[in-house]
PDB file of all heavy atoms in Angstrom:
ATOM      1  N   PRO A  86      56.796  62.643  95.727  1.00 53.00           N
ATOM      2  CA  PRO A  86      56.863  61.485  94.808  1.00 53.00           C
ATOM      3  C   PRO A  86      55.640  61.361  93.925  1.00 53.00           C
ATOM      4  O   PRO A  86      55.713  60.883  92.807  1.00 53.00           O
ATOM      5  CB  PRO A  86      56.993  60.294  95.764  1.00 53.00           C
ATOM      6  CG  PRO A  86      57.537  60.875  97.033  1.00 53.00           C
ATOM      7  CD  PRO A  86      56.960  62.253  97.119  1.00 53.00           C
ATOM      8  N   ALA A  92      60.546  61.119  83.823  1.00 58.00           N
ATOM      9  CA  ALA A  92      61.886  61.030  83.240  1.00 58.00           C
ATOM     10  C   ALA A  92      62.962  61.107  84.317  1.00 58.00           C
ATOM     11  O   ALA A  92      63.963  60.384  84.284  1.00 58.00           O
ATOM     12  CB  ALA A  92      62.089  62.142  82.211  1.00 58.00           C
ATOM     13  N   ALA A 167     102.207  18.179  72.323  1.00 92.00           N
ATOM     14  CA  ALA A 167     102.326  16.748  72.639  1.00 92.00           C
ATOM     15  C   ALA A 167     101.978  15.892  71.427  1.00 92.00           C
ATOM     16  O   ALA A 167     102.654  14.896  71.129  1.00 92.00           O
ATOM     17  CB  ALA A 167     101.427  16.403  73.819  1.00 92.00           C
ATOM     18  N   GLU A 177     103.916   5.627  61.130  1.00 86.00           N
ATOM     19  CA  GLU A 177     102.759   4.776  60.886  1.00 86.00           C
ATOM     20  C   GLU A 177     101.440   5.404  61.313  1.00 86.00           C
ATOM     21  O   GLU A 177     100.385   4.819  61.093  1.00 86.00           O
ATOM     22  CB  GLU A 177     102.925   3.430  61.607  1.00 86.00           C
ATOM     23  CG  GLU A 177     102.940   3.503  63.120  1.00 86.00           C
ATOM     24  CD  GLU A 177     104.318   3.761  63.703  1.00 86.00           C
ATOM     25  OE1 GLU A 177     105.203   4.214  62.944  1.00 86.00           O
ATOM     26  OE2 GLU A 177     104.514   3.497  64.904  1.00 86.00           O
ATOM     27  N   VAL A 222     107.977   5.071  50.122  1.00 92.00           N
ATOM     28  CA  VAL A 222     108.592   5.518  48.877  1.00 92.00           C
ATOM     29  C   VAL A 222     109.346   4.328  48.295  1.00 92.00           C
ATOM     30  O   VAL A 222     110.176   3.706  48.978  1.00 92.00           O
ATOM     31  CB  VAL A 222     109.554   6.706  49.103  1.00 92.00           C
ATOM     32  CG1 VAL A 222     110.193   7.121  47.781  1.00 92.00           C
ATOM     33  CG2 VAL A 222     108.827   7.884  49.740  1.00 92.00           C
ATOM     34  N   THR A 273      84.045   1.364  42.240  1.00 92.00           N
ATOM     35  CA  THR A 273      85.175   0.465  42.455  1.00 92.00           C
ATOM     36  C   THR A 273      85.822   0.091  41.123  1.00 92.00           C
ATOM     37  O   THR A 273      85.189   0.172  40.065  1.00 92.00           O
ATOM     38  CB  THR A 273      84.710  -0.803  43.186  1.00 92.00           C
ATOM     39  OG1 THR A 273      83.699  -1.466  42.402  1.00 92.00           O
ATOM     40  CG2 THR A 273      84.139  -0.459  44.551  1.00 92.00           C
ATOM     41  N   ASP A 282      96.371  17.611  33.639  1.00 92.00           N
ATOM     42  CA  ASP A 282      95.632  18.795  33.211  1.00 92.00           C
ATOM     43  C   ASP A 282      94.307  18.804  33.969  1.00 92.00           C
ATOM     44  O   ASP A 282      93.435  17.963  33.736  1.00 92.00           O
ATOM     45  CB  ASP A 282      95.383  18.770  31.705  1.00 92.00           C
ATOM     46  CG  ASP A 282      94.699  20.039  31.211  1.00 92.00           C
ATOM     47  OD1 ASP A 282      94.522  20.975  32.032  1.00 92.00           O
ATOM     48  OD2 ASP A 282      94.334  20.088  30.025  1.00 92.00           O
ATOM     49  N   ASN A 292      90.618  -0.886  33.529  1.00 87.00           N
ATOM     50  CA  ASN A 292      91.482  -0.957  32.338  1.00 87.00           C
ATOM     51  C   ASN A 292      90.681  -1.167  31.041  1.00 87.00           C
ATOM     52  O   ASN A 292      91.242  -1.601  30.033  1.00 87.00           O
ATOM     53  CB  ASN A 292      92.511  -2.083  32.471  1.00 87.00           C
ATOM     54  CG  ASN A 292      93.569  -1.759  33.507  1.00 87.00           C
ATOM     55  OD1 ASN A 292      93.906  -0.593  33.730  1.00 87.00           O
ATOM     56  ND2 ASN A 292      94.099  -2.793  34.154  1.00 87.00           N
ATOM     57  N   LYS A 313      76.257   5.033  36.025  1.00 92.00           N
ATOM     58  CA  LYS A 313      75.055   4.389  35.477  1.00 92.00           C
ATOM     59  C   LYS A 313      75.284   3.959  34.031  1.00 92.00           C
ATOM     60  O   LYS A 313      74.809   2.893  33.611  1.00 92.00           O
ATOM     61  CB  LYS A 313      73.881   5.351  35.571  1.00 92.00           C
ATOM     62  CG  LYS A 313      73.464   5.694  36.999  1.00 92.00           C
ATOM     63  CD  LYS A 313      72.308   6.660  37.016  1.00 92.00           C
ATOM     64  CE  LYS A 313      71.928   7.043  38.437  1.00 92.00           C
ATOM     65  NZ  LYS A 313      70.788   8.011  38.454  1.00 92.00           N
ATOM     66  N   ASN A 333      77.516  19.028  31.148  1.00 88.00           N
ATOM     67  CA  ASN A 333      76.169  19.604  31.030  1.00 88.00           C
ATOM     68  C   ASN A 333      75.098  18.546  30.832  1.00 88.00           C
ATOM     69  O   ASN A 333      73.995  18.841  30.376  1.00 88.00           O
ATOM     70  CB  ASN A 333      76.127  20.615  29.887  1.00 88.00           C
ATOM     71  CG  ASN A 333      76.435  19.979  28.542  1.00 88.00           C
ATOM     72  OD1 ASN A 333      76.752  18.785  28.468  1.00 88.00           O
ATOM     73  ND2 ASN A 333      76.360  20.771  27.473  1.00 88.00           N
ATOM     74  N   GLY A 334      75.416  17.288  31.120  1.00 86.00           N
ATOM     75  CA  GLY A 334      74.449  16.225  30.945  1.00 86.00           C
ATOM     76  C   GLY A 334      74.569  15.491  29.632  1.00 86.00           C
ATOM     77  O   GLY A 334      73.794  14.565  29.369  1.00 86.00           O
TER      78      GLY A 334
END
Side-chain angles (χ1 to χ4, degrees):
E177 65 273 18
V222 179
T273 59
D282 184 6
N292 289 330
K313 295 179 182 180
N333 62 356

